[in-house]
Amino acid sequence: RPLLIGPAHGPLPPYPYRMSGPVISGFGRGSKELGIPTANLPVDNSLYPWIPSIPEGVYFGFGSLLLPESHPDYSPAPAPSNPGAASAATSAWSLFPMVMSIGYNPFYKNDTRSVEVHVLHKFQADFYGVDMRLLVMGYIREEKDYKGLEELVEDINFDCEVARQSLQRPGW
Ligand code: ADP
Ligand code: RBF
Ligand code: MG
């Protein structure tokens, strides 16, 4: 499958979609042990009507986290590009590329639509409860069922590469 998604000049409508919310506990399936922790967000259909309306699948884009000063990955951008850092900030937004799954995880057969985000950054600590803002820039593929976990992980690793390469183009 292709490494680059979307035209060089940037995302086409209806992208980008936006949503935000606190990072909550997920299914506790040990995604972290697979090397693919996923930050789960509450799905509020009334706040974000685009969520139930789009096809389930794997998407990519940017995720921003309001990390508290106490988090080891806290790193305030200089003001004014980061308003939160302007005066004695105790938290600041940090921007990362991400891949995400929206859907029912056919491999696990969930019965509710979930939103889970794998951030393309190696964090020194968890960030449960932290506010996250998502900019969904494009669609990568359908969610699939798999014979085994290794195949799922292999596909997700390729999704990460698609996101990295697609997002590093200047138009994105
Ligand atoms: P859960 O079932 O609670 O979602 P996971 O095994 O999926 O557990 O781990 C998700 C948690 O791991 C996130 O809520 C976050 O606090 C932490 N985490 C650490 N690194 C990342 C990352 N790169 N992307 C997403 N979450 C991460
Ligand atoms: N679950 C599936 O059942 N099928 C998939 O194709 C699938 N693709 C995913 C792609 C990405 C980028 C991410 C972050 C998750 C995906 N998932 C998929 C969800 C996965 O089953 C879930 O994160 C598990 O908790 C991993 O153990
Ligand atoms: Mg998770």
Side-chain angles (χ1 to χ4, degrees):
R1 46 194 179 99
L3 264 173
L4 292 176
I5 289 180
H9 59 74
L12 292 173
Y15 301 105
Y17 290 113
R18 290 176 173 80
M19 74 168 280
S20 65
V23 175
I24 57 175
S25 289
F27 301 102
R29 284 181 192 132
S31 315
K32 205 175 289 170
E33 284 69 42
L34 298 173
I36 309 170
T38 59
N40 293 65
L41 295 185
V43 178
D44 187 331
N45 292 341
S46 58
L47 219 48
Y48 306 108
W50 60 266
I51 299 177
S53 80
I54 63 173
E56 57 178 294
V58 181
Y59 294 80
F60 71 102
F62 291 105
S64 212
L65 284 167
L66 187 58
L67 292 174
E69 203 174 28
S70 57
H71 193 281
D73 293 83
Y74 170 81
S75 98
S81 62
N82 188 346
S87 57
T90 53
S91 58
W93 293 100
S94 299
L95 183 75
F96 306 98
M98 61 85 185
V99 283
M100 67 190 289
S101 141
I102 299 180
Y104 301 88
N105 302 179
F107 183 70
Y108 293 100
K109 302 178 174 55
N110 296 345
D111 50 20
T112 55
R113 190 172 266 230
S114 65
V115 170
E116 45 179 327
V117 177
H118 175 58
V119 182
L120 300 180
H121 179 77
K122 177 108 190 71
F123 289 92
Q124 302 303 308
D126 287 350
F127 43 85
Y128 287 105
V130 164
D131 275 314
M132 187 178 219
R133 290 176 175 171
L134 298 180
L135 206 51
V136 183
M137 306 282 270
Y139 176 84
I140 301 182
R141 63 174 175 88
E142 290 181 338
E143 292 217 290
K144 296 198 299 179
D145 199 354
Y146 294 90
K147 290 204 201 72
L149 263 180
E150 310 81 65
E151 292 169 56
L152 171 62
V153 170
E154 210 175 289
D155 251 4
I156 294 178
N157 285 330
F158 193 85
D159 298 331
C160 295
E161 209 41 43
V162 170
R164 271 193 205 92
Q165 305 240 359
S166 297
L167 291 170
Q168 77 183 13
R169 296 173 290 176
W172 290 68

